[in-house]
Amino acid sequence: MKNTTQLGAFSSKHSPAKGFLYFSYFIFVLFSGISGLIYFKGILAVKEGRMNFSGDINMLYWVIAFIMGLALIILFSVYKMTRGKTHHLYENGIITEDGGQSKTRFFQDMEDIYLFSSGKSFTTNNLAFRNRSEGDWEILTVRYSKVFKAINYINDRHAHLYVDKILEVLDNNKSVTFHYISYGTSLQKRIFATGTGSFLKVEPKDIIVYKDRLIIDSKTILISSLEHFSVNNWINQISLYNKQNEVVFSTATNGIFSGRSFITLMDILINQTRS
């Protein structure tokens, strides 16, 4: 692996969990054993204390074929589910390994971290991250080992390192852009998305951040007019309030890409205007 010196201390390794794969091996061996017993007449109907089969012998072969076919389908399906990239988390970034190739991404260069919930869970159990210049998402899904640990670690390190970088950009009177999806889009994905690919097919909008203002949907919001964020877990919504306690922006809790970094940044900027 390269760049491990720049990446800092190693934290953890995450790859698709293998538990179901080992279980499918067990099923395959079990079904193979059953098929063998049938073929070698270890399992036959009992009549008058003797092993006996009075039906068409081809029926036995069809039973064997069905059992072995089912075992192979289970094994192949689970094998596909457990294939995937391996992510090595470090203090300053991530190394992703795929088929003998590796790629390094530093937290300070990740513009978008997209969190979402899949399956029946209402907790965040998937994370996708990317450098916008590359375009493609890297994904840690609920199938990955210790996925919740990985999600928390990536969010924490990104909030620390990325915010430090963009504060320097803002101090030079430049802007940074965060992405977000609307509350309705997030809710629609939560209900109708059929897989990870469906969740990632979104067209995010821009939140343009300057040191003294935000521009959201062509609307300018002065930092000096802002008071605080509020999170409503019941309806999965995050809202930004002004000093008159009016909502000036809201979306789904996970609707803001790199949301923890965005909130960390806003806290810093809002507090600076008070000092």
Side-chain angles (χ1 to χ4, degrees):
M1 295 182 187
K2 300 178 181 179
N3 299 317
T4 52
T5 302
Q6 292 175 287
L7 284 166
F10 174 75
S11 174
S12 57
K13 173 183 174 182
H14 302 269
S15 56
K18 303 297 184 182
F20 281 117
L21 182 60
Y22 299 144
F23 178 72
S24 70
Y25 288 152
F26 170 75
I27 292 296
F28 181 78
V29 172
L30 177 63
F31 283 17
S32 297
I34 293 173
S35 297
L37 287 173
I38 293 173
Y39 181 78
F40 292 107
K41 300 180 180 181
I43 299 179
L44 291 174
V46 177
K47 184 177 181 180
E48 296 179 355
R50 294 178 300 168
M51 308 279 297
N52 184 52
F53 178 73
S54 59
D56 186 349
I57 192 64
N58 289 326
M59 181 63 69
L60 286 178
Y61 298 146
W62 279 112
V63 170
I64 293 172
F66 172 77
I67 293 175
M68 290 305 301
L70 184 60
L72 288 171
I73 290 173
I74 293 173
L75 180 61
F76 179 73
S77 299
V78 174
Y79 175 74
K80 287 192 66 176
M81 288 177 59
T82 54
R83 293 184 64 190
K85 301 178 181 180
T86 298
H87 302 285
H88 302 263
L89 306 189
Y90 287 82
E91 185 179 12
N92 299 320
I94 303 173
I95 292 180
T96 300
E97 289 185 327
D98 182 25
Q101 301 294 318
S102 65
K103 190 166 190 176
T104 301
R105 292 176 178 83
F106 291 92
F107 290 126
Q108 66 175 7
D109 298 326
M110 294 179 193
E111 290 100 340
D112 291 334
I113 295 179
Y114 176 24
L115 304 174
F116 55 95
S117 303
S118 64
K120 296 180 180 181
S121 174
F122 287 95
T123 60
T124 300
N125 54 12
N126 294 262
L127 179 146
F129 60 90
R130 69 180 179 185
N131 301 346
R132 290 176 199 155
S133 58
E134 299 172 359
D136 296 332
W137 292 99
E138 292 292 352
I139 307 161
L140 284 93
T141 72
V142 69
R143 295 188 295 107
Y144 274 72
S145 59
K146 301 178 182 178
V147 66
F148 296 108
K149 177 181 177 181
I151 289 172
N152 287 329
Y153 185 83
I154 292 171
N155 275 315
D156 286 342
R157 296 306 301 160
H158 187 263
H160 176 67
L161 297 170
Y162 186 62
V163 171
D164 283 349
K165 176 182 177 180
I166 60 181
L167 281 171
E168 294 181 4
V169 175
L170 297 180
D171 284 339
N172 290 323
N173 295 319
K174 297 179 181 179
S175 66
V176 293
T177 300
F178 284 84
H179 283 163
Y180 82 99
I181 57 176
S182 68
Y183 184 83
T185 299
S186 179
L187 182 61
Q188 182 183 27
K189 289 295 181 182
R190 182 68 186 85
I191 296 173
F192 297 110
T194 56
T196 303
S198 297
F199 277 102
L200 297 180
K201 289 181 181 178
V202 293
E203 295 182 4
K205 302 178 182 180
D206 291 343
I207 301 175
I208 303 174
V209 182
Y210 290 88
K211 190 173 183 179
D212 63 343
R213 65 192 186 278
L214 307 176
I215 300 176
I216 306 175
D217 299 330
S218 301
K219 176 183 177 182
T220 299
I221 303 171
L222 296 177
I223 300 294
S224 59
S225 71
L226 299 177
E227 181 63 24
H228 68 280
F229 272 103
S230 175
V231 178
N232 189 326
N233 291 323
W234 288 101
I235 59 174
N236 188 36
Q237 190 172 51
I238 183 170
S239 302
L240 178 60
Y241 289 80
N242 62 18
K243 295 185 185 300
Q244 288 73 45
N245 205 35
E246 299 169 333
V247 176
V248 294
F249 171 70
S250 67
T251 187
T253 303
N254 289 336
I256 304 174
F257 293 0
S258 306
R260 190 175 300 182
S261 296
F262 179 72
I263 292 174
T264 301
L265 174 64
M266 294 308 302
D267 281 341
I268 294 172
L269 295 179
I270 290 172
N271 288 327
Q272 282 180 350
T273 62
R274 293 172 179 169
S275 59

